Amino acid sequence: MSADPPKHEMVYFPNMTSSLPSSSGEFRKVLWTGLYSQVVLMTVPVGGDIGDEVHTVDQALTFTSGQGKATIAGKDQDVKAGDLVVVPAGTQHQFVNTGPTPLILYTIYSPAEHDSRTVHHTKEEGDKEEEEGKDQAPAWSRKSKKENEDAGLVEGE
């Protein structure tokens, strides 16, 4: 995984809703970081959770395996493979694995939330790196469209 802005080329993840996610054992693994979004694979162990949190970015989570409970702004919703949950920026959220197998999902943050090279094997490792300021989104992923145009990273319309 690179710390540089993405190249102008396709990034392909085959079978995202089946074989790729089921092979992950890491709690959190950044798969791709773009100028305006980020794709992250997460595996929540049996009895585990992602932590009660609020982000300054939008988040869309697609569940690929397992079952759990989503709590968004105080409202509970059961989730399972095939479900999509959107969490707007500034909204409290928590996801708990309530099933007998890992709860596996991929999430899209917009803009990026994590360092583009992030791999956290456990929730505790992720929490520690976040607390120590080691898991910050790259500065280039938080720039405006105008700043990216001026830097030549995208063409204006």
Side-chain angles (χ1 to χ4, degrees):
M1 209 32 72
S2 173
D4 298 324
K7 296 178 181 173
H8 295 278
E9 60 190 25
M10 179 187 352
V11 179
Y12 178 63
F13 300 103
N15 302 314
M16 255 319 260
T17 60
S18 57
S19 64
L20 176 63
S22 64
S23 67
S24 175
E26 289 86 21
F27 174 72
R28 179 184 295 121
K29 181 178 182 179
V30 172
L31 299 178
W32 179 83
T33 302
L35 295 178
Y36 306 111
S37 60
Q38 182 174 64
V39 180
V40 177
L41 181 62
M42 295 187 73
T43 301
V44 183
V46 173
D49 63 75
I50 66 163
D52 192 25
E53 55 190 7
V54 176
H55 298 301
T56 59
V57 302
D58 293 324
Q59 186 176 12
L61 303 95
T62 300
F63 297 87
T64 63
S65 181
Q67 56 192 22
K69 180 176 76 171
T71 302
I72 313 295
K75 182 180 176 191
D76 291 339
Q77 175 65 53
D78 289 335
V79 294
K80 64 185 180 324
D83 290 350
L84 169 71
V85 175
V86 176
V87 180
T91 305
Q92 171 276 335
H93 59 282
Q94 165 70 295
F95 295 88
V96 178
N97 183 344
T98 60
T101 62
L103 178 63
I104 301 173
L105 63 104
Y106 62 92
T107 183
I108 299 174
Y109 294 100
S110 181
E113 176 70 9
H114 298 282
D115 183 292
S116 58
R117 299 158 294 185
T118 290
V119 176
H120 295 142
H121 301 288
T122 65
K123 179 180 181 299
E124 294 74 23
E125 179 184 358
D127 289 347
K128 182 176 184 226
E129 285 195 10
E130 287 179 5
E131 288 169 11
E132 294 173 351
K134 294 179 180 176
D135 186 27
Q136 302 295 317
W140 53 259
S141 72
R142 296 292 183 107
K143 301 221 183 265
S144 70
K145 179 180 172 188
K146 172 102 173 76
E147 289 172 304
N148 286 329
E149 288 173 354
D150 291 348
L153 296 172
V154 293
E155 289 185 25
E157 296 178 49

